[in-house]
Amino acid sequence: MEDEQNLFEEFRGQLVAARIAFLGQLAKFSREELALSPGKVEWSPIQVAYHLYVTDGETLEQMRRVQSEENPLLSFAEIEGPAQVGANTELPATLEAIMAGMAARREELFQFLAELSPSGWERVYRHPREGQLNFPQLVQLLVEHDQRHAQHLARIKLAREQRPHEI
């Protein structure tokens, strides 16, 4: 039990740090910049934030599936590229609404992970390309996802600073 609690605390710390890094990058954008898309196929910063909000919910559903099914084959289009936000995607009215949703979903995820039994942390699933993986690797995907999008926002901001008249 103590090992699982330590594992939860380790992942919680990683998840919090990755989300703080993302929010730190998001905070660098002015209100006006939040909705500006850096290109025809790029997401705006607010779309990236919405993507993370939706991804947390989708990943939690996948985690529940790993806990309830024996060795499920997960669809990683839903985890690695979930919540495809497009130009026609209707976003919640404000960044504040998205942020509140992100906080609520992350809290729900923490509650789920905190309540996992020792055998829950040992559960396995199948990845279409990688084969057999374990539950902690699924949690790690979420950490890495937040980190990638923090870097994504940093690239968007840098591009705007280098070419403000083009964006």
Side-chain angles (χ1 to χ4, degrees):
M1 179 72 167
E2 186 174 319
D3 288 340
E4 286 70 28
Q5 189 62 29
N6 290 340
L7 195 54
F8 165 67
E9 289 299 327
E10 178 183 331
F11 274 117
R12 188 172 68 79
Q14 291 177 28
L15 286 162
V16 168
R19 185 55 56 94
I20 288 170
F22 173 80
L23 294 174
Q25 291 299 323
L26 188 64
K28 294 178 181 180
F29 292 88
S30 69
R31 278 237 180 252
E32 296 76 34
E33 292 176 312
L34 285 171
L36 293 176
S37 179
K40 293 180 181 177
V41 295
E42 282 282 334
W43 292 343
S44 68
I46 198 166
Q47 287 172 315
V48 175
Y50 183 71
H51 167 77
L52 288 188
Y53 159 72
V54 174
T55 298
D56 274 1
E58 291 176 351
T59 303
L60 180 56
E61 289 307 310
Q62 292 286 11
M63 289 177 176
R64 287 181 173 137
R65 196 167 155 221
V66 170
Q67 296 300 316
S68 66
E69 296 178 23
E70 286 301 318
N71 200 22
L73 176 62
L74 298 185
S75 167
F76 279 84
E78 296 169 10
I79 293 177
E80 294 169 352
Q84 295 306 317
V85 179
N88 298 328
T89 301
E90 270 194 54
L91 301 173
T94 64
L95 176 62
E96 289 77 16
I98 293 171
M99 301 290 285
M102 288 172 75
R105 285 225 170 123
R106 193 47 67 101
E107 186 58 37
E108 185 180 2
L109 184 98
F110 288 153
Q111 187 67 34
F112 175 79
L113 294 175
E115 294 174 358
L116 275 181
S117 68
S119 62
W121 284 98
E122 296 171 3
R123 302 283 297 181
V124 295
Y125 65 95
R126 292 173 291 137
H127 184 285
R129 293 180 311 272
E130 304 294 325
Q132 192 83 18
L133 298 173
N134 62 40
F135 188 80
Q137 289 170 304
L138 179 56
V139 180
Q140 185 63 36
L141 282 176
L142 200 53
V143 172
E144 292 166 2
H145 186 253
D146 275 15
Q147 292 169 338
R148 277 193 311 273
H149 283 298
Q151 294 166 356
H152 181 192
L153 289 182
R155 287 190 306 272
I156 293 170
K157 186 65 173 171
L158 181 61
R160 288 189 181 170
E161 290 169 353
Q162 292 175 343
R163 300 181 313 271
H165 58 284
E166 294 179 23
I167 299 176

